[in-house]
Amino acid sequence: MLFCGPMRYSFSNCVLDSDRHLLVRDGKQVRVEPQVFDLLHLLVRNAGVLVTRDQIIDEIWGGRIVSESSISARINAARKAVGDNGKEQSIVKTVPRRGLQLGTSVSMDRGGEPAPSPALSDRQRVRFAKSDDGTKIAYATSGHGPMIMRAGHFLTHLEMDWKSLIWRPYLNALGQDHTLVRYDQRGTGLSDPILSNTVLDSHVADLEAVANAAGLDRFPLIALSQGVPIAIQFAANHPERVSCLVLYGGYTEGRALRDGGQSSEAADAMMTLMREGWGKPESAFMRAFTSLFCPGASRDQLADLVDMQLASTSPENAGRIRMAIDRFTVVDQLENIQVPTLVIHSRNDSVHPLSEGQKLASNIARAELVVLESANHILLPGENAWSEWARATLEFLARTSALE
């Protein structure tokens, strides 16, 4: 499934930027829950046309059965976000027993001037921590509220993530009600480019160094892809510091160790392609990379990933890191995880198959599993699975924080 390029919708005193997942009103960013954003996006895409209740349920909830109170709550939140209310309905109009309709004109553009910048308080702050082997690790804080942390993972750059079509919406979602701490892995982004060590324990030490530098005591820990075994090992080493885990697209054993070693050849083939085609949009590596990691990406999103590759690290570092993470294993640590854990996995993920997510969920005592209908390992803003990831993650964080 392909998505259109960057699109901005201007209506009333608001601008909705679909690719950056931003809503701006009167020049200031408005934080909205992902399903509320999706509802507004649905309405502005269909400006002047009735959007039926069935369309809303299909688009926002993927056709699942949902209560009237849940629908009403999202509609009320959408009205509040754009400065409307249920009495006036000057922007979001209810058509009794039929659905909703946008009550104002909409103009669209594919780029042009950038959307208004967030307020200074919404900008990230970049600092540095020192790991136990002396490696300098760059980390950033952004958002507002209780602190949460995202484990480092492949292909990040703190400054470029902040402007990325793919990663900025993640940061907005996680930072809307929390202060998010995240960092660039060793050898990547703004962290020390000299890659002295790539074993799992060194990555765990980096996570600990950032947590200490940021002043995190006991905190929720979020991880994507190979950040998952790093987070699991840290939680096993320091159970007193992790209040809950959110694990997306992760694994118990790396690609080179799975299936009795049969996946090793595939991992080695990817390594060869990586060394030859790192950061080259027309290379065989990029075609293999996108077909595995994000087959649904648009041309602009693919360009975003290429830019990230070139800025994140060198081909040599990329190869060493990829070889190491393909051999991470935390099979023996799963029974030591005793905190509430949310495991999220795409059903047709080709990088780390759903069976790996099921292993995580079935072997961690307090885990629950959410399966997303997607083939993307890197979830793409604009697909229903991305909104479901955000909804499930934020709901889980709110639920578990109430138990602390």
Side-chain angles (χ1 to χ4, degrees), residues 195-355:
L195 194 57
S196 60
N197 201 337
T198 60
V199 298
L200 177 59
D201 285 345
S202 66
H203 288 278
V204 175
D206 296 346
L207 192 159
E208 183 176 4
V210 171
N212 292 340
L216 277 69
D217 182 18
R218 181 172 171 82
F219 54 95
L221 182 55
I222 299 171
L224 287 68
S225 194
Q226 95 282 350
V228 168
I230 297 170
I232 289 173
Q233 187 66 59
F234 178 84
N237 293 352
H238 304 284
E240 76 286 353
R241 299 193 67 175
V242 178
S243 60
C244 66
L245 288 167
V246 178
L247 311 176
Y248 166 72
Y251 58 93
T252 60
E253 292 183 296
R255 286 164 55 88
L257 303 178
R258 294 200 288 263
D259 305 322
Q262 294 179 25
S263 295
S264 180
E265 291 184 3
D268 291 343
M270 178 60 75
M271 289 298 309
T272 300
L273 288 170
M274 180 180 293
R275 292 191 181 98
E276 295 297 323
W278 188 255
K280 299 176 182 177
E282 302 303 324
S283 68
F285 166 69
M286 275 307 300
R287 291 194 294 272
F289 180 92
T290 54
S291 66
L292 281 172
F293 284 75
C294 44
S298 70
R299 180 177 299 178
D300 292 314
Q301 288 168 330
L302 293 180
D304 195 68
L305 285 173
V306 172
D307 290 343
M308 184 67 69
Q309 285 182 5
L310 291 171
S312 179
T313 195
S314 66
E316 294 76 17
N317 277 1
R320 288 187 61 194
I321 294 169
R322 188 77 247 173
M323 185 175 293
I325 63 183
D326 280 343
R327 288 165 173 78
F328 284 176
T329 177
V330 288
V331 172
D332 295 337
Q333 298 297 337
L334 301 182
E335 63 181 14
N336 297 324
I337 306 301
Q338 300 297 321
V339 296
T341 301
L342 176 64
V343 178
I344 309 177
H345 217 97
S346 292
R347 186 179 302 279
N348 298 310
D349 190 329
S350 296
V351 178
H352 302 304
L354 177 58
S355 58

Side-chain angles (χ1 to χ4, degrees), residues 105-255:
S105 60
V106 175
S107 61
M108 297 176 288
D109 68 83
R110 294 178 181 271
E113 293 299 318
S117 299
L120 183 60
S121 60
D122 289 323
R123 298 186 186 277
Q124 66 176 350
R125 296 181 178 181
V126 177
R127 298 181 176 90
F128 291 84
K130 183 178 288 187
S131 195
D132 60 2
D133 65 355
T135 299
K136 293 179 181 178
I137 304 298
Y139 72 95
T141 56
S142 58
H144 306 275
M147 298 187 82
I148 59 176
M149 187 174 188
R150 188 188 74 179
H153 61 82
F154 203 36
L155 284 181
T156 67
H157 186 292
L158 294 178
E159 291 180 336
M160 292 193 66
D161 285 355
W162 196 244
K163 303 173 183 177
S164 169
L165 298 176
I166 293 175
W167 294 118
R168 181 60 188 269
Y170 280 85
L171 307 184
N172 289 342
L174 293 173
Q176 64 182 11
D177 293 314
H178 300 88
T179 297
L180 172 64
V181 179
R182 73 190 203 282
Y183 61 94
D184 286 332
Q185 281 190 338
R186 55 177 51 214
T188 72
L190 300 179
S191 290
D192 198 331
I194 299 175
L195 194 57
S196 60
N197 201 337
T198 60
V199 298
L200 177 59
D201 285 345
S202 66
H203 288 278
V204 175
D206 296 346
L207 192 159
E208 183 176 4
V210 171
N212 292 340
L216 277 69
D217 182 18
R218 181 172 171 82
F219 54 95
L221 182 55
I222 299 171
L224 287 68
S225 194
Q226 95 282 350
V228 168
I230 297 170
I232 289 173
Q233 187 66 59
F234 178 84
N237 293 352
H238 304 284
E240 76 286 353
R241 299 193 67 175
V242 178
S243 60
C244 66
L245 288 167
V246 178
L247 311 176
Y248 166 72
Y251 58 93
T252 60
E253 292 183 296
R255 286 164 55 88

